[in-house]
């Protein structure tokens, strides 16, 4: 059935205007003033913003990690995402050395099938590069539509790849048209610091932060940027947390390196003191890179505002406090790394960013939706409101206030990292390809309705951006 959204204020990364939106067959078929409602279901959005559905480029759903599996899967994770205003996610498909890449991708398809309620794509982890891997990569891009590769510079003996692998991945990505994503921390130095801390009897969650200092995130970011420049390739630094890394990205961009940066809501509003919470509560905030000293938050906000950082990923990687985080009760290095953020990504950015005057409305849309869609080959099908594109739409009440709590959240995980935080602004209704997934804050979607997104090759470069940055 045709739907028409009336009386709302449409906000894209470029414009703010009042118009009606007609939706037919899952796509936006008309945008205009006083469109006829004949034969259409009328949705009144008076007093609300109409945003393009959020694009979350960084999730880990049902992922084996840290001796367990992330609590939220493609069912609870995508339902939570939809409540939070996200209509597309790109999840990380892990690979095992020696295993055909196709098998890893099939494993990830099986996780999502019949569960996802919003559209989803995959990034592919690269842990080794050899002739077999190189022969498989073209079909990963052309047939699977996976145009982004993830390399971990940390998690020694688990996910970490060496510098040769990173460099080879960058070279291959350049040739094939993929964007390389890196977790930038120096895993070797972390490994040394962790062993030393444990030897000295330091077992509490705060030592997770002390053994992963900002300097080594800056060092790895700089190394990745250098390799990118040298290979004339393209790179996206995931979950940037600190001044040291922002500086490296800004400097590389000034030098013409095609480098992009993502931060996450947790680094914008939480800080290292959370890891000091008593009764092992600090474990709730153990993820990597770690939360930093508060002074880094202003630097991250400023970097988003001035275009040194470009997107917000949730890095959704949830583990229960009881039964999962407590694997590290007597040894902080055994606490599964990750936290629950998929649901509150837009609310936190709107409340702390837009309502506090740190970001414009257009920047909010760009950072939560449009830029990720462009970088990861989904634009304009996703990431904007325009005639002919998927009707992925968020009807957002900018004045509603709520307190974030595990009591009311949709995620399956047993705690909220933002418990008690008051946020202004929330999605009221969310449509995926023209169908309501959330209507008046209630779930009305269908399990399995989410479609797999085959993505286009990487095709933007930092050359079109203003490249003179200071912090
Ligand atoms: O601690 C985190 N961030 N867990 C998820 C894996 C990763 O590093 O992104
Ligand atoms: Zn990471
Ligand atoms: Zn992650």
């Amino acid at each position: 059935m045709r739907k028409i959204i009336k009386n709302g204020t449409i906000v894209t990364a470029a414009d703010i205007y009042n118009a009606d939106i007609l939706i037919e067959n899952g796509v936006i078929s008309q945008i205009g003033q006083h469109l006829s409602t004949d034969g259409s279901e009328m949705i009144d959005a008076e007093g609300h913003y109409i945003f393009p559905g959020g694009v979350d480029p960084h999730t880990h759903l049902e992922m084996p990690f840290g001796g367990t599996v992330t609590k939220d899967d493609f069912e609870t994770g995508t339902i939570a995402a939809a409540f939070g205003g996200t209509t597309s996610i790109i999840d990380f498909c892990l690979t095992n050395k020696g295993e055909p890449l196709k098998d890893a991708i099939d494993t990830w398809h099986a996780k999502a099938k019949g569960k996802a309620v919003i559209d989803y794509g995959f990034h592919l982890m690269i842990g080794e590069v050899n002739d077999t891997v190189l022969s498989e990569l073209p079909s990963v891009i052309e047939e699977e539509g996976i145009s982004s590769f993830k390399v971990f510079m940390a998690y020694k003996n688990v996910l970490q790849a060496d510098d040769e692998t990173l460099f080879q991945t960058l070279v291959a990505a350049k040739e094939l048209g993929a964007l390389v994503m890196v977790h930038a921390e120096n895993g070797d130095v972390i490994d040394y610091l962790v062993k030393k801390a444990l030897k000295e009897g330091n077992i509490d969650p705060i030592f997770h932060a002390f053994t992963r200092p900002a300097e080594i995130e800056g060092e790895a970011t700089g190394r990745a940027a250098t390799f990118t420049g040298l290979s004339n390739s393209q790179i996206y630094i995931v979950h940037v947390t600190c001044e040291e890394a922002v500086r490296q990205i800004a400097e590389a961009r000034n030098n013409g390196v095609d480098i992009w940066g993502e931060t996450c809501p947790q680094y914008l509003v939480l800080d290292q003191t959370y890891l000091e919470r008593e009764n092992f509560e600090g474990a709730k905030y153990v993820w990597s890179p770690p939360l930093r000293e508060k002074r880094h938050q202003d630097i991250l906000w400023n970097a988003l505002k001035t275009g040194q950082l470009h997107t917000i990923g949730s890095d959704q990687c949830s583990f229960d406090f009881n039964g999962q985080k407590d694997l590290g009760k007597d040894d902080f290095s055994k606490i599964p790394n990750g936290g629950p953020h998929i649901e509150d990504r837009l609310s936190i950015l709107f409340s702390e960013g837009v309502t506090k005057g740190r970001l414009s409305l257009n920047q909010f849309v760009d950072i939560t939706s449009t830029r990720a869609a462009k970088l990861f080959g989904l634009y304009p099908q996703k990431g904007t409101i325009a005639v002919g594109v998927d009707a992925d739409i968020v009807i957002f009440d900018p004045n509603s206030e709520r307190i974030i709590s595990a009591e009311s959240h949709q995620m399956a995980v047993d705690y909220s990292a933002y418990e008690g935080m008051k946020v202004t602004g929330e999605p009221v209704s969310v449509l995926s390809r023209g169908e309501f997934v959330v209507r008046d804050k209630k779930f009305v979607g269908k399990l399995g309705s989410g479609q797999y997104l085959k993505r286009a090759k990487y095709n933007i470069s930092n050359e079109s951006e203003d490249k003179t940055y200071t912090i």
Side-chain angles (χ1 to χ4, degrees), residues 23-55:
I23 300 168
E24 290 175 290
N25 302 318
V27 302
I28 295 173
S29 60
Q30 278 187 59
I31 299 175
Q33 306 290 335
H34 315 297
L35 298 183
S36 160
T37 52
D38 284 357
S40 309
E41 178 189 2
M42 213 276 266
I43 299 143
D44 185 4
E46 177 78 45
H48 292 69
Y49 290 131
I50 314 287
F51 296 137
V55 177

Side-chain angles (χ1 to χ4, degrees), residues 58 60 150 152 155 183 238-239 288-289 315:
H58 190 153
H60 305 276
K150 170 78 175 287
F152 289 92
Y155 303 125
H183 174 131
V238 300
H239 50 41
S288 298
D315 196 7

Side-chain angles (χ1 to χ4, degrees), residues 41-188:
E41 178 189 2
M42 213 276 266
I43 299 143
D44 185 4
E46 177 78 45
H48 292 69
Y49 290 131
I50 314 287
F51 296 137
V55 177
D56 186 344
H58 190 153
T59 67
H60 305 276
L61 300 178
E62 201 188 327
M63 181 180 82
F65 195 44
T68 179
V69 178
T70 56
K71 182 67 188 281
D72 285 285
D73 63 8
F74 277 83
E75 178 177 330
T76 61
T78 59
I79 291 174
F83 269 86
T86 292
T87 52
S88 303
I89 60 164
I90 314 180
D91 200 77
F92 287 96
C93 168
L94 295 190
T95 55
N96 299 304
K97 285 185 182 166
E99 176 195 33
L101 299 178
K102 174 91 175 69
D103 290 2
I105 295 166
D106 287 348
T107 301
W108 243 257
H109 277 298
K111 288 176 195 279
K113 203 171 159 46
K115 289 189 173 176
V117 303
I118 56 171
D119 294 349
Y120 58 93
F122 302 142
H123 311 287
L124 186 74
M125 174 196 158
I126 302 291
E128 61 179 347
V129 178
N130 52 37
D131 287 348
T132 314
V133 169
L134 288 173
S135 70
E136 288 178 279
L137 287 181
S139 72
V140 166
I141 295 182
E142 306 288 344
E143 281 156 42
E144 304 287 346
I146 297 179
S147 53
S148 43
F149 305 146
K150 170 78 175 287
V151 177
F152 289 92
M153 299 172 80
Y155 303 125
K156 192 167 171 149
N157 301 324
V158 187
L159 302 174
Q160 187 173 329
D162 59 17
D163 286 353
E164 183 182 358
T165 302
L166 172 57
F167 195 77
Q168 285 180 299
T169 305
L170 283 160
V171 171
K174 174 69 187 173
E175 196 183 311
L176 297 168
L179 182 58
V180 177
M181 311 168 78
V182 286
H183 174 131
E185 286 186 293
N186 186 318
D188 290 356

